[in-house]
Amino acid sequence: MYNFLPIAYFQNQFVNFEDAKISIATHALHYGTAAFGGLRGIPEPQNKDNILLFRLDRHCKRLSDSARLLRYDLPAEKIEEIIVTWVKKNQPKTSFYIRPFVYTSDLGIAPRLHKIEKDFFVYGLELGDYLAAEGVSCRISSWYRQEDRSLPLRGKVSGAYITSSLAKTEAVESGFDEAILMNSQGKVSEASGMNIFLVRNGQLITPGFEQDILEGITRDSILTLAKDMGIKTIERPVDKSELYIADEVFLSGTAAKITPVKRIEGYEFSNNRPITEKLREKLTAITENRDPNYASWVYSISLKD
């Protein structure tokens, strides 16, 4: 199903991917006591011997923060160093996805975060478009996004993704591509693994952090780009009915990038998406290192070093 890159970082060393294995008694497997990151890498179009990683520093900082929620001290600088070395060892030739992962590695059955071993690994796989670039259909999920008072939603904690998994499968099995989750207050939160944006009257609108969303790095990038491009941005609560009458709707995430929404439930959207396309073109140029104004967002790794 996937083409995994040949080298993984596992138990403080670089090993063959197929040799990176954990026990069935691993604590995190039973209790979701883990957190993960995800970032994309691509060969630079102008120089295939360079690999470009988008906002590596932000991804490493978010994973370090997620590790803190698990009582694990894992500096962002260490994560970055390991990822850069991992890329050089794998020598990727096509676009790929990196999955760094922190978890309780002890063998045991008591749910806890104290007095328990933690560990960190990295692996990756080749990855093109995660969602259809031309757009997706969405349904409003019957499952609700968790609350921060119940789960630490500022981190990408793996246990939280049972809700995403249920919502995604429900959507696909009912004839849609993706799910949109409401929060416990009945406001729009996010998709199964993406943030959501809508456009109304030339304004870009997205749910704020108080709506129990993940602090998406692509989301943050889009808001910055929109402001720089003179597009008015608003972070506020969004009602379900507002989605239905939006001029444009799109999803954003590391895997999804910027993916237009063609339909929500029975409501169709126009193929004319001027703001979505402007933002998508801009983000693509930046990730391919073609925009010097945002060169600091792109980390370049030479495979010849």
Side-chain angles (χ1 to χ4, degrees), residues 138-159:
C138 299
R139 65 160 286 173
I140 304 299
S141 181
S142 67
W143 298 96
Y144 285 75
R145 174 71 169 161
Q146 305 97 323
E147 295 182 88
D148 192 76
R149 61 181 174 176
S150 178
L151 274 168
L153 299 179
R154 300 287 168 149
K156 286 180 71 92
V157 177
S158 64

mmCIF file of all heavy atoms in Angstrom, residues 138-159:
data_model
loop_
_atom_site.group_PDB
_atom_site.id
_atom_site.type_symbol
_atom_site.label_atom_id
_atom_site.label_comp_id
_atom_site.label_asym_id
_atom_site.label_seq_id
_atom_site.Cartn_x
_atom_site.Cartn_y
_atom_site.Cartn_z
ATOM 1 N N CYS A 138 -17.575 16.622 1.344
ATOM 2 C CA CYS A 138 -17.534 16.475 2.799
ATOM 3 C C CYS A 138 -18.934 16.282 3.371
ATOM 4 O O CYS A 138 -19.909 16.780 2.821
ATOM 5 C CB CYS A 138 -16.927 17.721 3.457
ATOM 6 S SG CYS A 138 -15.235 18.097 2.976
ATOM 7 N N ARG A 139 -18.987 15.592 4.482
ATOM 8 C CA ARG A 139 -20.222 15.507 5.245
ATOM 9 C C ARG A 139 -19.952 16.022 6.655
ATOM 10 O O ARG A 139 -18.806 16.031 7.129
ATOM 11 C CB ARG A 139 -20.768 14.094 5.304
ATOM 12 C CG ARG A 139 -19.903 13.090 6.053
ATOM 13 C CD ARG A 139 -20.699 11.869 6.487
ATOM 14 N NE ARG A 139 -21.588 12.174 7.619
ATOM 15 C CZ ARG A 139 -22.490 11.319 8.115
ATOM 16 N NH1 ARG A 139 -22.643 10.127 7.554
ATOM 17 N NH2 ARG A 139 -23.236 11.644 9.153
ATOM 18 N N ILE A 140 -21.000 16.470 7.311
ATOM 19 C CA ILE A 140 -20.896 16.844 8.723
ATOM 20 C C ILE A 140 -20.942 15.557 9.528
ATOM 21 O O ILE A 140 -21.887 14.775 9.433
ATOM 22 C CB ILE A 140 -22.035 17.783 9.146
ATOM 23 C CG1 ILE A 140 -22.067 19.027 8.235
ATOM 24 C CG2 ILE A 140 -21.867 18.174 10.607
ATOM 25 C CD1 ILE A 140 -20.820 19.879 8.265
ATOM 26 N N SER A 141 -19.922 15.327 10.303
ATOM 27 C CA SER A 141 -19.812 14.072 11.028
ATOM 28 C C SER A 141 -20.794 13.996 12.191
ATOM 29 O O SER A 141 -21.156 15.012 12.802
ATOM 30 C CB SER A 141 -18.388 13.901 11.557
ATOM 31 O OG SER A 141 -18.263 12.667 12.244
ATOM 32 N N SER A 142 -21.205 12.788 12.520
ATOM 33 C CA SER A 142 -22.019 12.579 13.718
ATOM 34 C C SER A 142 -21.132 12.542 14.966
ATOM 35 O O SER A 142 -21.633 12.582 16.094
ATOM 36 C CB SER A 142 -22.808 11.269 13.612
ATOM 37 O OG SER A 142 -21.939 10.153 13.627
ATOM 38 N N TRP A 143 -19.820 12.454 14.751
ATOM 39 C CA TRP A 143 -18.855 12.474 15.849
ATOM 40 C C TRP A 143 -18.407 13.908 16.107
ATOM 41 O O TRP A 143 -18.236 14.685 15.172
ATOM 42 C CB TRP A 143 -17.650 11.588 15.534
ATOM 43 C CG TRP A 143 -18.023 10.156 15.362
ATOM 44 C CD1 TRP A 143 -18.275 9.511 14.185
ATOM 45 C CD2 TRP A 143 -18.214 9.200 16.390
ATOM 46 N NE1 TRP A 143 -18.616 8.209 14.416
ATOM 47 C CE2 TRP A 143 -18.580 7.980 15.766
ATOM 48 C CE3 TRP A 143 -18.105 9.235 17.776
ATOM 49 C CZ2 TRP A 143 -18.839 6.826 16.490
ATOM 50 C CZ3 TRP A 143 -18.361 8.083 18.504
ATOM 51 C CH2 TRP A 143 -18.724 6.893 17.852
ATOM 52 N N TYR A 144 -18.190 14.244 17.375
ATOM 53 C CA TYR A 144 -17.815 15.596 17.754
ATOM 54 C C TYR A 144 -16.340 15.662 18.137
ATOM 55 O O TYR A 144 -15.793 14.720 18.717
ATOM 56 C CB TYR A 144 -18.674 16.093 18.928
ATOM 57 C CG TYR A 144 -20.076 16.462 18.510
ATOM 58 C CD1 TYR A 144 -21.021 15.467 18.233
ATOM 59 C CD2 TYR A 144 -20.453 17.791 18.356
ATOM 60 C CE1 TYR A 144 -22.301 15.791 17.831
ATOM 61 C CE2 TYR A 144 -21.731 18.132 17.947
ATOM 62 C CZ TYR A 144 -22.652 17.127 17.685
ATOM 63 O OH TYR A 144 -23.919 17.448 17.266
ATOM 64 N N ARG A 145 -15.725 16.777 17.823
ATOM 65 C CA ARG A 145 -14.347 17.022 18.227
ATOM 66 C C ARG A 145 -14.262 17.077 19.751
ATOM 67 O O ARG A 145 -15.143 17.632 20.414
ATOM 68 C CB ARG A 145 -13.872 18.348 17.613
ATOM 69 C CG ARG A 145 -12.502 18.838 18.056
ATOM 70 C CD ARG A 145 -11.379 18.007 17.493
ATOM 71 N NE ARG A 145 -10.092 18.688 17.728
ATOM 72 C CZ ARG A 145 -8.930 18.074 17.683
ATOM 73 N NH1 ARG A 145 -8.860 16.786 17.408
ATOM 74 N NH2 ARG A 145 -7.818 18.756 17.884
ATOM 75 N N GLN A 146 -13.185 16.490 20.312
ATOM 76 C CA GLN A 146 -13.015 16.512 21.757
ATOM 77 C C GLN A 146 -12.786 17.939 22.264
ATOM 78 O O GLN A 146 -12.495 18.844 21.500
ATOM 79 C CB GLN A 146 -11.816 15.639 22.159
ATOM 80 C CG GLN A 146 -11.887 14.213 21.648
ATOM 81 C CD GLN A 146 -11.105 14.017 20.369
ATOM 82 O OE1 GLN A 146 -11.065 14.879 19.509
ATOM 83 N NE2 GLN A 146 -10.479 12.860 20.236
ATOM 84 N N GLU A 147 -12.879 18.101 23.571
ATOM 85 C CA GLU A 147 -12.610 19.389 24.205
ATOM 86 C C GLU A 147 -11.226 19.384 24.840
ATOM 87 O O GLU A 147 -10.754 18.351 25.318
ATOM 88 C CB GLU A 147 -13.650 19.669 25.290
ATOM 89 C CG GLU A 147 -15.065 19.855 24.783
ATOM 90 C CD GLU A 147 -16.000 20.179 25.936
ATOM 91 O OE1 GLU A 147 -16.146 21.375 26.267
ATOM 92 O OE2 GLU A 147 -16.561 19.242 26.510
ATOM 93 N N ASP A 148 -10.606 20.553 24.889
ATOM 94 C CA ASP A 148 -9.276 20.657 25.481
ATOM 95 C C ASP A 148 -9.296 20.329 26.975
ATOM 96 O O ASP A 148 -8.290 19.884 27.525
ATOM 97 C CB ASP A 148 -8.712 22.063 25.258
ATOM 98 C CG ASP A 148 -7.233 22.136 25.597
ATOM 99 O OD1 ASP A 148 -6.416 21.658 24.800
ATOM 100 O OD2 ASP A 148 -6.898 22.651 26.686
ATOM 101 N N ARG A 149 -10.431 20.506 27.627
ATOM 102 C CA ARG A 149 -10.506 20.157 29.049
ATOM 103 C C ARG A 149 -10.520 18.643 29.256
ATOM 104 O O ARG A 149 -10.364 18.161 30.384
ATOM 105 C CB ARG A 149 -11.746 20.786 29.693
ATOM 106 C CG ARG A 149 -13.063 20.338 29.109
ATOM 107 C CD ARG A 149 -14.238 21.026 29.786
ATOM 108 N NE ARG A 149 -15.498 20.710 29.136
ATOM 109 C CZ ARG A 149 -16.682 21.122 29.587
ATOM 110 N NH1 ARG A 149 -16.751 21.832 30.697
ATOM 111 N NH2 ARG A 149 -17.781 20.824 28.928
ATOM 112 N N SER A 150 -10.696 17.889 28.164
ATOM 113 C CA SER A 150 -10.711 16.435 28.254
ATOM 114 C C SER A 150 -9.457 15.809 27.649
ATOM 115 O O SER A 150 -8.994 14.770 28.111
ATOM 116 C CB SER A 150 -11.951 15.884 27.535
ATOM 117 O OG SER A 150 -11.976 14.479 27.551
ATOM 118 N N LEU A 151 -8.919 16.441 26.619
ATOM 119 C CA LEU A 151 -7.696 15.976 25.956
ATOM 120 C C LEU A 151 -6.829 17.192 25.642
ATOM 121 O O LEU A 151 -7.363 18.252 25.301
ATOM 122 C CB LEU A 151 -8.023 15.250 24.648
ATOM 123 C CG LEU A 151 -8.349 13.771 24.721
ATOM 124 C CD1 LEU A 151 -8.933 13.303 23.392
ATOM 125 C CD2 LEU A 151 -7.108 12.955 25.044
ATOM 126 N N PRO A 152 -5.514 17.070 25.729
ATOM 127 C CA PRO A 152 -4.640 18.216 25.435
ATOM 128 C C PRO A 152 -4.529 18.447 23.925
ATOM 129 O O PRO A 152 -3.606 17.979 23.256
ATOM 130 C CB PRO A 152 -3.297 17.795 26.048
ATOM 131 C CG PRO A 152 -3.301 16.307 25.993
ATOM 132 C CD PRO A 152 -4.738 15.892 26.173
ATOM 133 N N LEU A 153 -5.470 19.200 23.377
ATOM 134 C CA LEU A 153 -5.584 19.341 21.928
ATOM 135 C C LEU A 153 -4.536 20.261 21.322
ATOM 136 O O LEU A 153 -4.450 20.371 20.094
ATOM 137 C CB LEU A 153 -6.990 19.833 21.572
ATOM 138 C CG LEU A 153 -8.130 18.899 21.999
ATOM 139 C CD1 LEU A 153 -9.476 19.500 21.613
ATOM 140 C CD2 LEU A 153 -7.971 17.517 21.392
ATOM 141 N N ARG A 154 -3.744 20.935 22.138
ATOM 142 C CA ARG A 154 -2.649 21.754 21.601
ATOM 143 C C ARG A 154 -1.511 20.879 21.085
ATOM 144 O O ARG A 154 -0.620 21.357 20.396
ATOM 145 C CB ARG A 154 -2.114 22.708 22.662
ATOM 146 C CG ARG A 154 -3.160 23.679 23.189
ATOM 147 C CD ARG A 154 -3.499 24.759 22.179
ATOM 148 N NE ARG A 154 -4.681 25.512 22.572
ATOM 149 C CZ ARG A 154 -4.872 26.789 22.283
ATOM 150 N NH1 ARG A 154 -3.970 27.453 21.599
ATOM 151 N NH2 ARG A 154 -5.971 27.387 22.655
ATOM 152 N N GLY A 155 -1.535 19.607 21.423
ATOM 153 C CA GLY A 155 -0.541 18.668 20.912
ATOM 154 C C GLY A 155 -1.201 17.660 19.985
ATOM 155 O O GLY A 155 -2.415 17.450 20.040
ATOM 156 N N LYS A 156 -0.380 17.034 19.135
ATOM 157 C CA LYS A 156 -0.899 15.976 18.252
ATOM 158 C C LYS A 156 -0.805 14.645 18.992
ATOM 159 O O LYS A 156 0.047 13.808 18.698
ATOM 160 C CB LYS A 156 -0.112 15.948 16.938
ATOM 161 C CG LYS A 156 -0.450 17.095 15.999
ATOM 162 C CD LYS A 156 0.367 17.006 14.718
ATOM 163 C CE LYS A 156 -0.054 15.862 13.817
ATOM 164 N NZ LYS A 156 -1.062 16.281 12.821
ATOM 165 N N VAL A 157 -1.668 14.488 19.990
ATOM 166 C CA VAL A 157 -1.663 13.286 20.818
ATOM 167 C C VAL A 157 -2.389 12.170 20.079
ATOM 168 O O VAL A 157 -3.530 12.344 19.628
ATOM 169 C CB VAL A 157 -2.322 13.575 22.179
ATOM 170 C CG1 VAL A 157 -2.385 12.316 23.025
ATOM 171 C CG2 VAL A 157 -1.546 14.674 22.913
ATOM 172 N N SER A 158 -1.739 11.037 19.965
ATOM 173 C CA SER A 158 -2.260 9.979 19.094
ATOM 174 C C SER A 158 -3.615 9.462 19.548
ATOM 175 O O SER A 158 -4.473 9.133 18.720
ATOM 176 C CB SER A 158 -1.258 8.829 19.004
ATOM 177 O OG SER A 158 -1.065 8.213 20.259
ATOM 178 N N GLY A 159 -3.858 9.400 20.860
ATOM 179 C CA GLY A 159 -5.132 8.887 21.351
ATOM 180 C C GLY A 159 -6.331 9.687 20.871
ATOM 181 O O GLY A 159 -7.439 9.152 20.765
#
